[in-house]
């Protein structure tokens, strides 16, 4: 950006400026030398001197607002420069003045610093032929000077050829009144610098019967910006970004700078300065400064952020002598909760539970989590719970049907964090195993003991005691004899039976 070498002379008499009458009281903020309609920059030669081309200058600190603008002569004497204000109805002028500031001390002795020149379009032709002028010298200005009331200045009036005097000892209102409604307006020219001293001006007041207009001269307007990649994984840079979506645990870089639309002296472009990052976390009442950094016309101020909850950010640049302070648009950074979930078994049988465990970040107790299953194109809740200590949770659903299940965990938005969901987990549910067949019972064969029937008795007529007991009794009498170490007893005599005596098994 280039600074103009000097302000060119812009004489108000180049043509009439038809400004509508002021409406009530108003304050017009003037951004540097971006002069609105009704104001003009002027230069002139001092008596016996020559016209100069002073440089535009700016100052932080003033009687009205934060800045004042001025002219720098660099010690060159003999020329004047300043500001001119348009008065559409001179006959109704009640008050007019300009506050000035001379930072340097007065040179030795009294001297003329400049003058106030009033140019009245008496003929109403827009200063095309002739007009009336009244002049008032200004001398020995030092520091801040509130300015004399031009409306009360009674002076001599001459035609613009500077040869014919119209009147003497009249104010502007008194001179304008006889000309009636056909007369035009008037320019009030405040011109200083004859002794080569730099000066600043502010608080230009013009009060008429229609109202008061106050001009507040400020520094060159600027605009601050936040630039950032629009997503966490993007490398592109977006200037003036106003929203950024992050997940808890992700960090990001914000870049800050400022530019100016210019004011006619400064051309539009980037400027240098100091930027401060301000933040308002979720739940906070207002913004608070975080950190500061410098930037130039070709560099940024860098800020590193890692919010764990929704946070608003704003960059504010610091004013200097030339440029006004500026604030960027607010950047809203949303933060979704980070969800980590684990499904221990992704292959199980129908009827078994599908279990999911995990935790959220930032960790917080009492946050609602939901286990969802995708049915068709919709996600349906199948279990709900709230996080416990450390943000942990446990969810489960019984696998009621076979096939492939798609499940996920959804976390509700709460306490400055957006809602979030996990990636889809696929679980394969197999059919229940076939039941094992019941074993065929094996028949149990119980052997039937053979009954020995004596030959001399009929079958089935021998009482059990006589069959089993007699034998035992016969042997029990010889128990001692059959004891170990003794002689075994002799077998009882059995008469052989003839074959005919054997029972026929076919009966």
């Amino acid at each position: 950006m280039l600074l103009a070498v000097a302000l060119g002379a812009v004489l108000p008499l180049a043509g009439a400026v038809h400004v509508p009458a002021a409406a009530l009281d108003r304050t017009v903020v003037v951004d540097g030398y971006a002069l609105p309609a009704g104001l003009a920059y002027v230069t002139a030669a001092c008596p016996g001197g020559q016209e100069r081309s002073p440089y535009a200058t700016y100052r932080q600190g003033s009687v009205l607002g934060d800045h004042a603008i001025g002219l720098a002569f660099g010690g060159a004497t003999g020329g004047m420069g300043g500001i001119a204000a348009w008065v559409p109805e001179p006959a109704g002028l009640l008050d007019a003045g300009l506050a000035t500031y001379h930072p340097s001390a007065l040179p030795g002795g009294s001297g003329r610093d400049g003058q106030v020149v009033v140019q009245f379009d008496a003929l109403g032709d827009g200063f095309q032929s002739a007009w009336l002028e009244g002049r008032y010298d200004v001398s020995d200005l030092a520091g801040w000077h509130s300015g004399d009331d031009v409306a009360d200045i009674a002076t001599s009036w001459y035609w613009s050829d500077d040869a014919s005097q119209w009147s003497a000892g009249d104010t502007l209102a008194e001179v304008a009144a006889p000309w009636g409604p056909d007369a035009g307006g008037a320019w009030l020219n405040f011109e200083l610098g004859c002794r080569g001293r730099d000066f600043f001006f502010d608080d230009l007041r013009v009060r008429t019967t229609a109202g008061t207009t106050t001009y507040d001269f400020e520094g060159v307007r600027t605009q601050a910006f936040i630039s950032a990649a629009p997503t966490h994984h993007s490398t592109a840079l977006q200037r003036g970004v106003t929203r950024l979506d992050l997940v808890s645990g992700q960090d990001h870089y914000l870049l800050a700078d400022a530019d100016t639309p210019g004011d006619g002296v400064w051309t539009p472009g980037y400027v240098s300065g100091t930027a401060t990052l301000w933040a308002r976390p979720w739940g906070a009442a207002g913004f608070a400064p975080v950190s500061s950094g410098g930037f130039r016309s070709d560099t940024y101020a860098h800020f590193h952020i890692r919010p764990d909850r929704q946070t608003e950010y704003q960059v504010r640049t610091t004013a200097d002598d030339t440029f006004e302070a500026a604030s960027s648009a607010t950047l809203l950074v949303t933060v979704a909760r980070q969800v980590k979930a684990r499904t221990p078994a992704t292959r199980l049988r129908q009827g078994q539970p599908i279990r999911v465990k995990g935790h959220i970040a930032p960790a917080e107790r009492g946050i609602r989590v939901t286990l969802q299953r995708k049915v068709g194109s919709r996600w349906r809740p199948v279990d709900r719970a709230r996080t416990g200590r450390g943000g942990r949770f446990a969810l489960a659903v019984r696998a009621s049907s076979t096939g492939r299940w798609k499940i996920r965990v959804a976390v509700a938005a709460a306490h400055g964090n957006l809602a979030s969901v996990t990636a889809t987990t696929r679980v394969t549910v197999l059919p229940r195993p076939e039941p094992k067949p019941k074993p065929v019972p094996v028949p149990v064969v119980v052997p039937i003991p053979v009954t020995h029937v004596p030959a001399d008795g009929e079958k089935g007529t021998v009482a059990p005691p006589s069959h089993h007991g007699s034998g035992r009794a016969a042997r029990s009498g010889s128990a001692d004899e059959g004891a170990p170490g003794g002689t075994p007893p002799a077998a009882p005599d059995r008469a052989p039976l003839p074959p005919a005596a054997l029972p026929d098994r076919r009966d």
Side-chain angles (χ1 to χ4, degrees):
M1 181 166 54
L2 299 177
L3 179 63
V5 175
L7 290 169
V10 181
L11 298 179
L13 298 186
V17 178
H18 299 287
V19 180
L24 302 178
D25 295 344
R26 62 175 184 152
T27 297
V28 178
V29 176
V30 181
D31 299 319
Y33 274 93
L35 304 179
L39 296 182
Y41 168 71
V42 292
T43 59
C46 300
Q50 62 180 353
E51 189 172 335
R52 300 290 184 180
S53 297
Y55 290 86
T57 186
Y58 309 81
R59 181 182 190 276
Q60 188 175 10
S62 184
V63 294
L64 182 64
D66 300 322
H67 283 77
I69 64 174
L71 296 172
F73 291 86
T77 62
M80 298 182 292
I83 197 77
W86 176 252
V87 182
E89 298 178 359
L93 183 64
L94 302 176
D95 178 47
L98 176 69
T100 59
Y101 176 72
H102 285 77
S104 62
L106 283 171
S110 178
R112 177 179 178 178
D113 289 309
Q115 62 187 9
V116 177
V117 179
V118 182
Q119 298 166 313
F120 170 48
D121 183 16
L123 302 180
D125 61 357
F127 299 96
Q128 296 301 311
S129 54
W131 59 90
L132 291 174
E133 280 192 4
R135 299 178 182 178
Y136 172 77
D137 290 342
V138 180
S139 304
D140 300 331
L141 297 178
W144 276 107
H145 184 262
S146 60
D148 297 329
D149 183 2
V150 177
D152 290 340
I153 296 176
T155 185
S156 297
W157 293 85
Y158 291 82
W159 285 103
S160 51
D161 60 6
D162 212 21
S164 303
Q165 183 174 354
W166 170 257
S167 68
D170 293 327
T171 65
L172 173 60
E174 292 170 342
V175 169
W179 292 93
D182 293 335
W187 282 104
L188 309 180
N189 301 271
F190 300 88
E191 305 167 352
L192 301 173
C194 288
R195 290 198 277 183
R197 293 193 299 156
D198 301 345
F199 72 96
F200 299 89
F201 54 88
D202 196 6
D203 190 20
L204 173 55
R205 307 167 306 280
V206 177
R207 183 167 65 92
T208 68
T209 54
T212 301
T213 299
T214 302
Y215 295 96
D216 175 15
F217 295 92
E218 295 295 333
V220 182
R221 183 166 57 89
T222 61
Q223 175 62 55
F225 292 91
I226 297 177
S227 300
T231 66
H232 177 66
H233 300 289
S234 174
T235 58
L237 191 64
Q238 180 177 338
R239 184 174 174 81
V241 62
T242 57
R243 179 172 178 132
L244 180 63
D245 298 323
L246 299 179
V247 176
S248 179
Q250 291 180 341
D251 60 351
H252 214 74
Y253 281 93
L254 305 181
L255 307 180
D257 70 344
D259 63 19
T260 178
D263 68 341
V265 176
W266 284 90
T267 57
Y270 296 107
V271 300
S272 301
T274 301
T276 300
L277 181 67
W278 291 67
R280 180 168 64 184
W282 179 84
F287 283 87
V290 177
S291 61
S292 298
F295 61 91
R296 298 195 302 270
S297 59
D298 58 347
T299 62
Y300 295 96
H302 292 246
F303 302 103
H304 182 226
I305 63 170
R306 189 174 184 173
D308 60 356
R309 299 183 191 275
Q310 176 177 299
T311 304
E312 294 177 280
Y313 292 96
Q314 187 180 59
V315 163
R316 302 177 186 178
T317 59
T318 304
D320 58 20
D321 280 340
T322 302
F323 297 105
E324 287 289 328
S327 298
S328 71
T330 300
L331 167 63
L332 174 63
V333 178
T334 65
V335 182
R337 287 190 189 272
Q338 188 180 85
V339 189
K340 292 186 177 180
R342 183 175 62 89
T343 305
T346 57
R347 189 177 182 88
L348 41 79
R349 296 285 184 179
Q350 183 181 4
Q352 292 181 320
I354 301 174
R355 302 185 186 278
V356 180
K357 296 181 179 181
H359 65 275
I360 63 173
E364 190 173 356
R365 182 192 292 268
I367 304 301
R368 188 174 73 249
V369 292
T370 303
L371 180 62
Q372 298 177 336
R373 179 192 178 190
K374 192 172 187 180
V375 180
S377 60
R378 300 183 62 184
W379 288 95
R380 301 184 181 275
V382 292
D383 191 23
R384 291 185 176 89
R386 290 191 178 271
T387 56
R389 179 181 300 176
R392 296 182 178 86
F393 61 85
L395 299 162
V397 60
R398 190 166 298 280
S400 58
S401 60
T402 61
R404 178 168 289 184
W405 285 45
K406 294 181 180 180
I407 61 172
R408 70 181 185 183
V409 175
V411 180
H415 304 162
N417 289 111
L418 294 184
S420 56
V421 295
T422 63
T424 301
T425 299
R426 291 170 172 80
V427 177
T428 301
V429 180
L430 303 174
R432 290 186 176 92
E434 293 291 334
K436 294 182 179 180
K438 294 182 178 180
V440 178
V442 178
V444 179
V445 179
V446 180
I448 302 175
V450 179
T451 303
H452 302 281
V453 181
D456 56 350
E458 295 182 5
K459 184 179 179 179
T461 60
V462 181
S466 61
H467 172 67
H468 296 286
S470 59
R472 292 180 180 227
R475 289 193 291 270
S476 62
S478 58
D480 294 337
E481 297 178 2
T487 302
D493 294 336
R494 288 185 182 237
L497 296 177
L502 294 174
D504 190 354
R505 294 184 181 275
R506 294 173 297 178
D507 293 342

